[in-house]
Amino acid sequence: MAGNVEAPAPVGARPERDPKARGGARIWEETEQQAKKLRSASDAEQHRKLPKRKIVLLMGYSGKGYHGMQRNVGSSQFKTIEDDLVSALVRSGCIPENHGEDMRKMSFQRCARTDKGVSAAGQVVSLKVWLIDDILEKINGHLPPHIRILGLKRVTGGFNSKNKCDARTYLYMLPTFAFAHKDHDVQDESYRLSADTLRRVNALLACYKGTHNFHNFTSQKGPREASARRYILDMFCEEPFVREGMEFAVIKVKGQSFMTHQIRKMVGLVVAVIKGYAPESLLERSWGEAKVDVPKAPGLGLVLERVHFDKYNQRFGNDGLHEPLDWTQEEAGVAAFKEQHIYPTIISTERQERSMARWLGTLPVHDFDATAHAAAGLGAKASTETLLPARLGLQTGARG
């Protein structure tokens, strides 16, 4: 018996493995890898059999906490709406993973590039996807509740949601104490908008209709740049309503296209006039070549409500192959999304952060001619630098 006892292995020595066991593990790993490859190949083959078609998605989202709509590939510091959308498209099996890394591969295009904190109830994006079963449910299943796909329609192969868009409608929701006159109205939540003040607000908003030079309503646009001229189809303020003890109103504006901060400055200037901080004449002066420092209202209340495709609908909406992009059947879902996710966010954020109240506090010291003074200062400096050597030259000549 003693001769059959095995000597203990030295401390630290690695025990030998049974060659058969090693081979079995290797075979199992190889089999598992082959199975994964087969499953992957099967999935790829299944997707290849699916039709890949150009579609548009009708989107609603609350923009709070996001740095705008457009994705910044390679930058994880600033989260955007498209980051969550692309992730949901990949995870739901609508697009391959490499299309998520390079959105051009799916011909992705957004209709409007909303800014930081701006929401949407009717954003439209165009892209090519695999038309899987229950596609809307599967995409929404991978999205947070404050981002929803509200509709889907097939479009022509060359459709581009940005280029085919004829007009865009935005709304701006604000507490009505923004219209309280600085000298003889209360400046808090107890204020209620009168019929006379609402008429005056709408009279000023109507002045924006038509084509004007909006170079003072954005940045980095000169007064003689053709792209600064924009066409506004309509702009008006709806009847006020009360939520949680605070009265709000909604301003709607429809235009062919808008520049960065344009709508917020359009609202800001009207508020400044109504409150008595600026004369009505400043509105017309702001469309001239002179520099005007137009105040910019907060971004919180701005919402992309709807985008319009009238020319596309006229050509393809009744051809028997494509649906018109009017979203009439989705209107109830859009209205419900605004009530559940957009309006409550605007109201609660205004109560917590008081963005409108804090901005209104800057108007008493706002210098509407600040940019004009700055431009004049630069011009005077340039003139001095030009004239001084000339004067020195004259003096030298006189001495000689």
Side-chain angles (χ1 to χ4, degrees), residues 56 152-155 159 306 309-310 312-330:
V56 291
L152 179 152
K153 291 188 179 185
R154 287 276 307 276
V155 288
F159 184 87
R306 187 170 183 173
F309 300 96
D310 297 336
Y312 175 85
N313 289 340
Q314 289 172 8
R315 182 173 180 183
F316 298 104
N318 298 308
D319 65 357
L321 298 174
H322 304 93
E323 299 176 84
L325 301 180
D326 55 15
W327 309 108
T328 52
Q329 295 181 357
E330 289 77 16

Side-chain angles (χ1 to χ4, degrees), residues 280-335:
E280 290 188 19
S281 59
L282 188 64
L283 197 64
E284 189 169 348
R285 186 158 70 89
S286 68
W287 300 324
E289 291 196 4
K291 278 286 187 180
V292 176
D293 189 1
V294 178
K296 180 176 63 180
L300 174 64
L302 188 59
V303 180
L304 173 63
E305 185 177 52
R306 187 170 183 173
V307 291
H308 307 267
F309 300 96
D310 297 336
K311 291 180 182 177
Y312 175 85
N313 289 340
Q314 289 172 8
R315 182 173 180 183
F316 298 104
N318 298 308
D319 65 357
L321 298 174
H322 304 93
E323 299 176 84
L325 301 180
D326 55 15
W327 309 108
T328 52
Q329 295 181 357
E330 289 77 16
E331 284 180 357
V334 170

Side-chain angles (χ1 to χ4, degrees), residues 143-155:
L143 286 170
H146 56 269
I147 303 178
R148 290 288 94 177
I149 305 300
L150 303 169
L152 179 152
K153 291 188 179 185
R154 287 276 307 276
V155 288

Side-chain angles (χ1 to χ4, degrees), residues 35-50 93 130:
K36 286 182 179 179
K37 288 180 181 178
L38 288 172
R39 284 197 297 270
S40 177
S42 176
D43 292 342
E45 182 63 28
Q46 184 179 2
H47 276 127
R48 275 196 290 270
K49 291 179 180 178
L50 289 171
W130 286 310

Side-chain angles (χ1 to χ4, degrees), residues 12 115 166 229 255 312 385:
D115 296 330
D166 305 306
R229 296 182 64 80
Y312 175 85
E385 290 174 348

